[in-house]
Every structure is written in structure tokens, then in C-alpha cells.
């Protein structure tokens, strides 16, 4: 199945990790309008309606988000404006235009206290401002846009933007010893795989039945701790001669590394639903690390 070249797709957050990858993968394949924060403030309802109505997209992909998790604990209004009200305005406009809205969300909507991978139907209970504003955004999308897909993901990394992989590579260049949290577990997810998943959904939603609308989980496998992920990054970096020596990587607890925002200890997302509905497999984060030379 291929994308219809006449399909009109609008992307918000075009310069973020995921947005950048979506623009790259969709360019030349559809009629594309990419908005970064400078060209579209999604927290401005008038601007959202004006600019999207002028383009009349068939599909809106909301990859824009306030993602500074710790800063959000202080910048509550800013986080809410983008993650909650931005999502609401996009949903309202999508409904007016009879467009599909694909909205990207997060594992932070859960409290992280589960002992089995979270299902889409599991109770939400965010523990941080970031998580609370993202959940508010999900609820706004559900309320205001009938044709919606909410895609929850976790631990996103990519060649473009700031992320854990780049931070570890940078620290490994100068620090002989590092401390990395080992009691938080989840699925690192390559932004390129999220983009491919979204594009696959776009292809399949052309003549969708109503049962496909709703919430889906998409994240990487296998599940690991941040410490295990760091060790995997260092091993690959050493094999590619990006670092001379793997730093001593000490496993620490969340209590040893205090942050303003509470992180979920358990961020495993069950991805069976997206596989069943759209034949989309989980992200392979180890494969994404094979091109580690591009993470500069």
C-alpha cells in the first residue's frame, strides 16, 4: 500500500525529533504542510484555525509538545497551553475540516506502578505536570475530534534533536565514570520508527471503519532500564570507534538521582493492539543504534 500523492497532510512540531523525521519521510510523497513553533503557535486557537483552514488537510499529525519534563513543574501554564489547549484547538479545527487527527502522547499518563505492560484501556494516573497536561490533551482530542488516533510512545530518541542517546555519547567522550538510573524500565523508541508507524496508519486510514479510531501504544522492544540502554549505547559506540573506552557505568536508583518531576518507574507499553489493527510491529531500538555515527 502506498500513500496517495493527492493526500494533504499537515504536521505540527516539524522541527522536533518526530516532526523532523515525519517531514523527511513524507516529503515528495504527499501534499505536505509542515509547521514548526515559529510558523504555527498551536496554543493560539485563532492561528490554528486560520492556517489549517487555509490548507484544508485530510490528516493533521500533532507532533508538537512541551517536553521539558522538569521545567514543566514550574512552567505549568506554558506546558498546559501546548499539551492540553494546543491539542484541543487542533482537534476542534480537524472536526470542522472533517480531517483525521493523529495525536502523539506519552507513557507519562500512567503512574508507573504496574507490574504488566500497560494496555490502552488501563487507568491513567499521571504523576507529573507534563503527564497531567498530556492526559488533558488526550481527553480534549477524544472530546472534540471524532476521527482521531492517539499514539502513546516512550523514551524517544533520534539523530535530530536532544535525547538520551546523544547525552550518553557526549558524556562518554569526557567522563570515565557515569551514574545511570537502573530502576526505571521502559521501551526506547526510535523516532524514525514512530514516523513509519504513523505513515502506515495514514495509508490504512483512507477508508477506515469507525472501530479503528482511538488510543494505541507504540514503543520499542525489548524493555530495558536506562542503565541497560546506556550500556548498549556504549558498546555500540565502542564498536564503531566513536569512543575510545566504555565508561564505568554505575547503576543507581531513582532516589539517588532526584529530579523536580516524578518519572514513572514502569513505562512498559503493551503494543498488541496496534499490531492487530494495523500490522505495525514494535520499534527495534537496537537496530536504530546501528547508525550511531549519525547521532552527532
Amino acid at each position: 500500500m502506498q500513500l496517495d500523492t493527492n493526500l494533504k497532510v499537515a504536521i505540527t512540531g516539524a522541527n522536533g525529533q518526530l516532526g523532523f523525521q515525519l517531514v523527511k519521510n513524507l516529503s515528495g510523497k504527499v501534499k505536505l504542510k509542515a509547521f514548526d513553533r515559529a510558523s504555527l503557535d498551536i496554543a493560539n486557537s485563532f492561528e490554528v484555525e486560520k492556517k489549517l483552514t487555509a490548507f484544508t488537510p485530510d490528516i493533521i499529525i500533532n507532533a508538537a509538545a512541551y517536553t521539558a519534563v522538569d521545567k514543566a513543574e514550574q512552567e505549568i501554564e506554558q506546558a498546559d497551553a501546548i499539551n492540553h489547549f494546543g491539542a484541543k484547538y487542533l482537534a476542534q479545527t480537524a472536526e470542522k475540516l472533517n480531517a483525521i487527527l493523529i495525536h502523539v502522547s506519552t507513557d507519562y499518563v500512567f503512574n508507573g506502578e504496574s507490574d504488566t505492560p500497560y494496555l490502552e484501556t488501563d487507568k491513567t494516573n499521571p504523576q507529573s505536570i507534563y503527564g497531567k497536561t498530556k492526559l488533558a490533551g488526550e481527553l480534549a482530542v477524544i472530546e472534540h475530534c471524532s476521527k482521531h488516533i492517539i499514539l502513546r510512545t516512550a523514551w524517544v530518541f533520534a539523530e535530530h534533536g536532544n535525547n538520551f542517546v546523544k547525552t550518553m555519547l557526549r558524556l562518554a567522550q569526557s567522563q570515565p565514570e557515569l551514574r545511570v538510573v537502573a530502576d526505571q524500565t521502559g521501551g526506547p523508541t526510535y523516532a524514525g520508527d514512530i514516523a513509519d508507524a504513523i505513515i502506515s496508519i495514514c495509508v490504512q486510514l483512507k477508508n477506515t471503519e469507525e472501530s479503528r479510531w482511538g488510543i494505541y501504544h507504540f514503543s520499542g522492544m525489548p524493555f530495558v532500564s536506562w542503565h541497560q540502554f546506556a550500556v548498549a549505547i556504549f558498546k555500540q559506540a565502542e564498536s564503531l570507534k566513536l569512543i575510545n573506552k566504555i565508561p564505568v557505568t554505575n547503576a543507581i536508583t531513582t532516589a539517588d538521582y532526584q529530579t523536580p518531576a516524578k518519572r514513572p518507574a514502569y513505562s512498559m507499553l503493551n503494543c498488541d493492539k496496534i499490531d492487530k489493527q494495523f500490522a505495525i510491529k514494535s520499534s527495534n531500538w537496537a537496530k536504530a543504534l546501528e547508525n550511531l555515527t549519525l547521532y552527532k
Side-chain angles (χ1 to χ4, degrees):
M1 298 175 74
Q2 288 187 331
L3 284 162
D4 182 348
T5 54
N6 291 314
L7 191 70
K8 299 173 77 173
V9 180
I11 297 171
T12 63
N15 201 35
Q17 289 189 94
L18 174 57
F20 183 88
Q21 200 73 48
L22 281 164
V23 172
K24 179 182 176 183
N25 293 6
L26 285 171
S27 292
K29 297 177 182 176
V30 295
K31 293 179 179 177
L32 184 66
K33 188 75 172 179
F35 297 101
D36 59 14
R37 182 172 290 188
S39 58
L40 176 62
D41 176 9
I42 65 167
N44 183 319
S45 59
F46 174 78
E47 197 174 323
V48 168
E49 183 171 3
K50 179 183 177 183
K51 292 191 175 181
L52 288 178
T53 301
F55 179 57
T56 61
D58 301 298
I59 299 174
I60 301 167
I61 304 172
N62 182 27
Y66 180 106
T67 57
V69 176
D70 288 324
K71 284 177 69 177
E73 294 298 309
Q74 298 297 324
E75 298 182 351
I76 299 171
E77 287 188 12
Q78 295 93 315
D80 200 52
I82 296 169
N83 294 342
H84 172 199
F85 286 100
K88 176 183 177 180
Y89 301 146
L90 289 168
Q92 289 174 328
T93 301
E95 189 72 12
K96 288 179 182 177
L97 298 174
N98 194 32
I100 295 165
L101 175 60
I102 300 177
H103 174 71
V104 181
S105 193
T106 174
D107 56 299
Y108 277 65
V109 299
F110 298 112
N111 65 12
E113 296 176 8
S114 181
D115 54 8
T116 57
Y118 283 105
L119 296 168
E120 290 83 353
T121 51
D122 284 341
K123 182 181 178 182
T124 53
N125 183 19
Q127 300 296 297
S128 64
I129 295 300
Y130 169 69
K132 289 173 182 177
T133 59
K134 289 297 289 183
L135 177 58
E138 286 189 9
L139 296 173
V141 168
I142 292 166
E143 180 181 354
H144 295 286
C145 182
S146 54
K147 297 197 295 185
H148 67 266
I149 297 287
I150 294 169
L151 192 69
R152 292 179 183 146
T153 190
W155 296 22
V156 181
F157 68 96
E159 301 91 339
H160 177 83
N162 299 314
N163 53 68
F164 183 79
V165 174
K166 288 189 175 183
T167 299
M168 290 301 104
L169 287 175
R170 187 179 70 252
L171 292 174
Q173 305 275 359
S174 58
Q175 303 293 327
E177 189 169 348
L178 296 170
R179 301 162 73 242
V180 184
V181 171
D183 61 353
Q184 294 174 23
T185 310
T189 316
Y190 177 53
D193 290 338
I194 305 173
D196 287 343
I198 289 173
I199 291 168
S200 180
I201 289 170
C202 289
V203 171
Q204 297 180 60
L205 282 177
K206 188 175 180 182
N207 295 302
T208 188
E209 62 277 14
E210 203 171 295
S211 63
R212 279 185 166 181
W213 306 125
I215 301 172
Y216 293 86
H217 289 169
F218 180 79
S219 67
M221 291 288 288
F223 297 126
V224 288
S225 69
W226 287 114
H227 180 268
Q228 291 170 320
F229 189 33
V231 170
I233 294 165
F234 297 145
K235 285 182 178 177
Q236 182 64 9
E238 185 186 46
S239 71
L240 294 172
K241 296 181 168 52
L242 296 177
I243 57 175
N244 295 322
K245 185 181 178 182
I246 294 177
V248 175
T249 313
N250 298 308
I252 63 170
T253 67
T254 300
D256 294 325
Y257 188 74
Q258 297 288 330
T259 57
K262 184 178 179 182
R263 265 74 173 168
Y266 190 98
S267 285
M268 301 186 196
L269 299 177
N270 183 308
C271 300
D272 290 346
K273 182 182 176 183
I274 197 169
D275 186 16
K276 183 179 178 181
Q277 288 281 9
F278 295 104
I280 293 171
K281 303 297 182 183
S282 295
S283 173
N284 184 338
W285 59 261
K287 183 174 177 57
L289 293 182
E290 290 176 3
N291 296 322
L292 211 53
T293 51
L294 300 175
Y295 293 72
K296 296 178 181 177

